[in-house]
Amino acid sequence: MAAVLLGAFGSLLGSFLNVVIYRVPRGLSVVSPPSACPGCAMRIRPHDNVPVLSWLLLRGRCRSCRMPIPIRYPLVELGTAAAFAVVAVRFVPALPAGPGALPGLLTLLAFLYLAAITVALALIDLDVRRLPNALVLPAYVVGAALFVPAAVLGGDLGGLARAGAGMLLVGAVYLALALGVPGGMGGGDVKLAGVLGLYLGWLGWAELAVGAVSGFLLGGGFGVALLALRRAGRRTAVPFGPWMLAGAWLGILAGAPLAEAYLSLFGLGD
């Protein structure tokens, strides 16, 4: 039930994320003016802004001028719904009953927030090859605002220290790469690395290790595939943010079992 409810909420938020994805890279306000058709400037009516359903009923076209509405809009809404449902499956079962659930609820909110900005940042990076400060930097504040009380109320100051260490460690690795390999990493990648280290570190060392390394493996594998298919050259710029985010979510969702399976290959597991 929680996955269904959060998924439904995610689809509503996905409609707003479509606005964020378009306006934030252009330095526009996400609240004003209201959304309108770029073809005829007709304001989008509330009943034409129901996630996914409105697009289907309108057959992917503006009600007024019949201008096509890109399919990416409902896909973002569906993707955000799926992301929120996955977060619910990952974190809701671990919530204890009663007052002791508050630390877990704060953690759930933190990762729902991360899921939302993941959708926005991945698509913005693909569109304009940039990870806007307006989305990346507030994630540090939101993470601290949720993890600190969760640690205090749950008696998990070690987890908070690990989150801080993850933020510094992963951020430092990316900063070293950015300084040591000019053009290899952008400033946005470095800032995002700290955010991902913070969230992964909160969950555990295994999640941190898998999430941090997986970004390089996924991005590197994609780059090699492009080279093999002759779709890119050695100097072709490939957005790395989406792979950082994908790797982080692999660590969040399956970091512990993946780390244990890797260690067991060398007889180091439990």
Side-chain angles (χ1 to χ4, degrees):
M1 180 61 71
V4 173
L5 293 176
L6 285 175
F9 176 72
S11 69
L12 294 172
L13 184 61
S15 182
F16 174 68
L17 289 179
N18 277 314
V19 177
V20 171
I21 292 163
Y22 178 81
R23 296 189 183 185
V24 167
R26 295 167 174 82
L28 303 174
S29 169
V30 298
V31 295
S32 179
S35 296
C37 173
C40 64
M42 179 66 70
R43 183 176 297 182
I44 305 300
R45 301 160 185 164
H47 60 274
D48 287 337
N49 208 25
V50 178
V52 183
L53 181 61
S54 290
W55 189 89
L56 292 173
L57 292 176
L58 291 170
R59 298 183 180 181
R61 294 183 177 274
C62 170
R63 183 184 294 276
S64 300
C65 69
R66 309 307 297 165
M67 178 180 179
I69 302 170
I71 194 173
R72 187 165 98 168
Y73 285 89
L75 290 179
V76 167
E77 293 163 353
L78 285 171
T80 309
F84 272 41
V86 168
V87 171
V89 171
R90 168 66 173 82
F91 291 100
V92 170
L95 292 176
L102 185 54
L105 285 173
L106 292 171
T107 297
L108 173 64
L109 286 174
F111 284 93
L112 288 173
Y113 174 82
L114 182 63
I117 65 169
T118 290
V119 174
L121 287 171
L123 290 174
I124 289 172
D125 201 16
L126 289 171
D127 286 345
V128 300
R129 309 285 174 87
R130 190 158 57 87
L131 297 166
N133 286 338
L135 294 179
V136 176
L137 297 184
Y140 287 98
V141 178
V142 172
L146 294 171
F147 290 144
V148 169
V152 172
L153 294 172
D156 188 16
L157 296 181
L160 186 61
R162 189 175 58 240
M167 177 183 69
L168 295 174
L169 180 60
V170 180
V173 169
Y174 273 78
L175 179 60
L177 289 172
L179 295 175
V181 185
M185 292 289 171
D189 295 329
V190 176
K191 296 166 192 172
L192 178 59
V195 170
L196 298 179
L198 174 69
Y199 282 78
L200 288 164
W202 172 257
L203 295 178
W205 293 114
E207 288 83 353
L208 177 63
V210 171
V213 172
S214 294
F216 290 105
L217 295 177
L218 293 172
F222 179 73
V224 170
L226 288 180
L227 288 172
L229 295 172
R230 296 184 179 180
R231 300 293 298 273
R234 293 184 180 275
R235 296 184 179 276
T236 302
V238 177
F240 193 56
W243 300 112
M244 294 172 64
L245 292 160
W249 279 100
L250 186 60
I252 291 166
L253 299 175
L258 285 175
E260 184 176 347
Y262 178 79
L263 291 174
S264 67
L265 291 175
F266 300 94
L268 300 174
D270 293 337

